[in-house]
Structures are given as C-alpha cells and as structure tokens.
C-alpha cells in the first residue's frame, strides 16, 4: 500500500539534500543554479516568473517562494498570476486597497509531483554540467604536472583512479610502464597527459610512460634543476627498460651529470624504483651534433662519424669490439641514441684496407641468394659482402625489413665466402 509520501513523490527536503553538499561548486554558484531551476519550473507552470521572488538558503537547506500580485477591483482580474481581486486580497489582510501589491508565500510542495520531479531533473542536469565545468577547469591548466591518485578499478585496457576529491582519472594500458602492477587502494603517481572534453564530459588522461613524467621526477629530486641552474634539454625513454637524459648547465662550476646522478646514484635511485627499474643514462648536451651523437652512444667509443644534416642521418664507424656496445641489448642503446639526437644512426665496423681490397659485390651471389633479398640490402646502401657482414644484424633486420631467418642465412652465405 502506497504511503502518503510515496503518492506525492519525493519531498522538497529530499530534493534539497541531494544538492546541498554538491562538491566542487562554490556557494554563490549553487544558489544561482537553485534559483534558476525554481524559476524555470515556475515559468512553465504560470507562463512567467517575473513576479516571483525566490530566496534560497543552501546552508540551512531551505527556500522561500513569494508571488507578487496587484490588487484590482472585484470582477476585473484578467491575469490571475499577476492580479488579485480586492475581495481575495482583503482575505489575506483586511486593509489592502486597489493598486497595492500583495506578496504571499507559495508552497511549492502543493504544485504537485510533476513540478517537483521537473525541478529535480533540472537541478540534476545543471549541477552535472557545473561539476563537469569545474573538473575541466581544475585539470586543464595542470597538464604536464604529476598527480597522486588512488587505484579504484583495474580493467584490461585501463586503470581507473580517484583523486582526493573523488574525481575519476584514467590511466590507459598504453600509458602504463610494462612491468607495472596495480592493487586496488594503493596510491600511484603519474603525469597529467591531457584533458579530453568531448560533449562537455571531461576525461582526465594520465601517463607514466611520457618523457615529461621522467622530467618532473628529476625536477623533484635535483634542486639544481628546479632552481634553473641545470636544464634538461632532451629525454628519450623506453619505459621500464632504459632512458637517456641530456642535461646542460650554464654555470661552469656545476657538473650537470654529477648533480643529476648524485653521490653513488643517490638522486636517481628513487626515480629508477618509481619507473620499475628503468635504467637512466645522464649525458652532457652539446650543440655540436657529432659530439652529441658520440655521447648519446656511450659507453661505445666512436672512431668517426659521417653526417647528413639535411636528412638527419649519421653513419658511425667503430672498431669491431665497440659495435655491440653501441647497439646495446636488443638494439636499445642505438634506438635511444637516435631518439635523443633526432638523427637516424647507422653503425659500421671499421674495415682495414686489406679487408676492403678482398671485398665482393652482392650481385655476384645471385646464384645463392634470392635477388629480392639482395635488392632489399642494396636499398639501404650496402653493396658489398663485407659491408653487410660488418653491419649490425639488428640493423639489417630492421632497416631492410627482413625476417631474422633470412638475415641469418644471408650472413652465413657471405661469411662462408671468406673462410
């Protein structure tokens, strides 16, 4: 059996309590929204709200509505919303006269269930819109800053986090460090990568793989960076694996690399842990691109470099024992060096004159090697057998776009010629 309250629908007290404690919205704005919502409902019911006074008090959780009407002679009421007959006015106060204004309080609850539901829907829509505006404005100017948030939900494609005000933040799988693992309730740090706002529905996107995240972590750990004595010029990252950071100081008394690393690596230890064991190489930046490439390929020692400035390419020549150091495990060192210097780097072994004299053009192996393989190798600038043998295996696979098995067979045939 329906109760009296059920029959009338939600009470005005419930309506008010729903929005009294609304987060992220200042009191002045909330009062304005509440008043506007009341006026919208009144205008729909009476055709106009201009002769109504709406007084909202969100602190107490109450409100008052007064309707103002002009007293007219009996029988001359043309607009019952704005006019009241003398007889009806004198029922309110006996001394009212024609031409005076009558103000009486209106019981909104008596407007009925439809009016109250209409008010709740209007309020909900406006409050949601304001909350979205508030969230967007809070985060749009914080892009590039670190935020700490609590893991709330873990999904396959993203992790949902909650900030200290209960706002939702999103960390996509693509922005997570590969070795990261998350537990509900734990607090993690990330960079605010961007703020999407499609259809006024803000979505705060975070990142832990961005170079900017590493930059902000370094700023927090190295006072000389935050003080402006050391500048981070470039960062290249393979998240969770390894990173290279180029730094520069305009004060000769400061060693930028030493300051960033700290005594026995003390300043980067915490950052390495934060990034899941990501090793951090810090090098001195240089406007001299040859010197910069040389430093970027550290710990390898370079014999010579040929630069193609227009196409941002560099041919680096090293002694045979230095090649593996330059390439690094899985080609990681040379990839990071290319990212850091913004030059495509090709590594070659230094070949002696005697070895060069004994070289053979690739076309002479057409009876043993498919022509399309030879063409693929020649397309990356390698025309002779020893040029291919001396080139890094990883480079042949990547640059010539060949399968590992194809490259291994190719090298086996070429090396057999010189044994």
């Amino acid at each position: 059996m329906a109760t009296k309250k059920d029959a009338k629908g939600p009470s005005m007290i419930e309506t008010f309590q729903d929005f009294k404690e609304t987060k992220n919205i200042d009191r002045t704005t909330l009062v304005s929204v509440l008043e506007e919502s009341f006026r919208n409902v009144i205008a729909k019911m009476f055709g106009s709200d201009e002769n109504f006074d709406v007084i909202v008090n969100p602190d107490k959780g109450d409100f008052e509505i007064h309707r103002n009407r002009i007293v007219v002679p009996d029988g001359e009421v043309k607009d019952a919303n704005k006019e009241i007959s003398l007889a009806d006015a004198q029922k309110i106060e006996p001394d009212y006269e024609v031409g005076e204004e009558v103000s009486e309080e209106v019981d909104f609850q008596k407007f009925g269930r439809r009016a109250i539901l209409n008010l709740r829907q209007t309020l909900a829509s406006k409050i949601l819109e304001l909350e979205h505006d508030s969230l967007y404005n809070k985060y749009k100017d914080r892009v590039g800053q670190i935020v700490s948030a609590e893991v709330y939900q873990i999904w396959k494609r993203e992790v949902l986090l909650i900030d200290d005000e209960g706002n939702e933040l999103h960390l996509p799988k693509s922005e997570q460090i590969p070795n990261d693992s998350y537990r509900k309730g734990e607090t993690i740090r990330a960079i605010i990568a961007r703020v999407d706002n499609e259809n006024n529905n803000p979505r705060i996107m975070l990142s832990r793989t961005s170079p900017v995240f590493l930059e902000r972590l370094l700023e927090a750990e190295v006072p000389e960076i935050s003080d402006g004595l050391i500048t981070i010029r470039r960062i290249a990252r393979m998240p969770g694996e390894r990173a290279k950071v180029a730094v520069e100081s305009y004060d000769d008394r400061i060693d930028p690399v030493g300051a960033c690393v700290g005594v026995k690596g003390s300043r980067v230890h915490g950052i390495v842990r934060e990034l899941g064991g990501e090793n951090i190489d810090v090098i001195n930046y240089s406007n001299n691109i040859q010197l910069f490439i040389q430093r970027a390929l550290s710990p390898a020692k370079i014999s010579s470099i040929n630069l193609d400035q227009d196409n941002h390419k560099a041919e680096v020549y090293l002694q045979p024992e230095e090649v593996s150091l330059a390439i690094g495990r899985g080609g990681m060192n040379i990839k990071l060096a290319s990212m850091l210097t913004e030059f495509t780097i090709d590594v070659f072994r230094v070949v002696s004159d005697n070895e060069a004299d004994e070289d053979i053009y690739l076309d002479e192996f057409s009876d043993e090697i498919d022509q399309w393989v030879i063409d693929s190798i020649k397309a990356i600038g390698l025309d002779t057998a020893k040029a291919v043998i001396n080139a890094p295996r990883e480079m042949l696979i990547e640059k010539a776009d060949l399968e590992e098995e194809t490259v291994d067979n190719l090298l086996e045939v070429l090396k057999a010629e010189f044994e």
Side-chain angles (χ1 to χ4, degrees), residues 154-249:
I154 303 168
W155 295 310
K156 185 175 181 180
R157 294 187 177 180
E158 72 172 18
V159 172
L160 178 66
L161 301 105
I162 303 293
D163 70 7
D164 53 8
E165 293 181 350
N167 297 309
E168 294 183 353
L169 314 177
H170 302 264
L171 179 62
K173 185 72 175 178
S174 60
E175 302 297 330
Q176 299 170 22
I177 295 172
N179 295 329
D180 277 350
S181 61
Y182 306 103
R183 295 186 306 275
K184 186 173 181 177
E186 74 171 321
T187 299
I188 64 171
R189 291 195 291 174
I191 201 80
I192 301 169
R194 69 180 192 276
V195 180
D196 298 335
N197 196 30
E198 187 175 349
N199 298 323
N200 194 34
N201 185 23
R203 191 174 169 87
I204 318 304
M205 309 304 293
L206 307 182
S207 174
R208 285 175 53 81
T209 61
S210 167
V212 181
F213 186 42
L214 175 52
E215 183 176 351
R216 294 292 174 265
L217 292 173
L218 283 165
E219 288 173 354
E221 290 291 333
V222 183
E224 291 87 346
I225 295 176
S226 54
D227 291 342
L229 300 174
I230 293 175
T231 302
I232 298 175
R233 295 301 300 266
R234 291 184 189 172
I235 292 178
R237 287 185 67 190
M238 297 183 72
E241 296 286 345
R242 191 171 173 184
K244 286 182 181 286
V245 182
V247 295
E248 186 175 29
S249 172

Side-chain angles (χ1 to χ4, degrees), residues 149-378:
E150 181 181 313
V151 175
Y152 182 72
Q153 198 75 40
I154 303 168
W155 295 310
K156 185 175 181 180
R157 294 187 177 180
E158 72 172 18
V159 172
L160 178 66
L161 301 105
I162 303 293
D163 70 7
D164 53 8
E165 293 181 350
N167 297 309
E168 294 183 353
L169 314 177
H170 302 264
L171 179 62
K173 185 72 175 178
S174 60
E175 302 297 330
Q176 299 170 22
I177 295 172
N179 295 329
D180 277 350
S181 61
Y182 306 103
R183 295 186 306 275
K184 186 173 181 177
E186 74 171 321
T187 299
I188 64 171
R189 291 195 291 174
I191 201 80
I192 301 169
R194 69 180 192 276
V195 180
D196 298 335
N197 196 30
E198 187 175 349
N199 298 323
N200 194 34
N201 185 23
R203 191 174 169 87
I204 318 304
M205 309 304 293
L206 307 182
S207 174
R208 285 175 53 81
T209 61
S210 167
V212 181
F213 186 42
L214 175 52
E215 183 176 351
R216 294 292 174 265
L217 292 173
L218 283 165
E219 288 173 354
E221 290 291 333
V222 183
E224 291 87 346
I225 295 176
S226 54
D227 291 342
L229 300 174
I230 293 175
T231 302
I232 298 175
R233 295 301 300 266
R234 291 184 189 172
I235 292 178
R237 287 185 67 190
M238 297 183 72
E241 296 286 345
R242 191 171 173 184
K244 286 182 181 286
V245 182
V247 295
E248 186 175 29
S249 172
Y250 300 107
D251 188 335
D252 293 338
R253 295 170 297 178
I254 296 176
D255 171 19
V257 173
C260 290
V261 174
V263 179
K264 294 183 179 179
S266 58
R267 286 182 170 176
V268 296
H269 279 165
I271 299 175
V272 170
R273 285 195 300 271
E274 174 73 52
L275 301 181
E278 185 174 316
N279 291 319
I280 301 172
D281 300 336
V282 184
I283 66 169
N284 281 303
Y285 177 80
S286 176
N287 288 321
N288 181 329
I289 191 61
Q290 288 199 352
L291 181 58
F292 190 34
I293 290 174
Q294 183 175 334
R295 290 171 176 172
L297 283 172
S298 176
K301 292 176 181 160
I302 294 170
S303 298
S304 62
I305 300 177
N306 290 335
L307 288 181
D308 179 353
Q309 295 270 19
D310 294 336
N311 296 307
H312 273 234
K313 291 184 177 180
E315 293 181 348
V316 177
Y317 294 87
L318 309 98
Q319 294 298 324
E321 65 273 13
E322 299 291 331
V323 172
S324 60
L325 290 174
I327 296 169
R329 180 171 55 87
M332 193 179 300
N333 196 56
I334 193 169
K335 287 178 184 176
L336 284 171
S338 293
M339 292 163 62
L340 192 71
T341 61
E342 298 175 355
F343 266 68
T344 300
I345 301 173
D346 293 328
V347 172
F348 300 93
R349 293 176 176 84
V350 174
V351 181
S352 67
D353 291 339
N354 288 337
E355 289 177 314
D357 290 341
E358 300 170 0
D359 211 348
I360 305 170
Y361 284 106
L362 286 181
D363 288 326
E364 297 186 31
F365 292 88
S366 58
D367 57 336
E368 297 178 78
I369 302 170
D370 290 337
Q371 189 60 46
W372 67 269
V373 176
I374 294 174
D375 292 340
S376 297
I377 296 295
K378 289 170 66 177

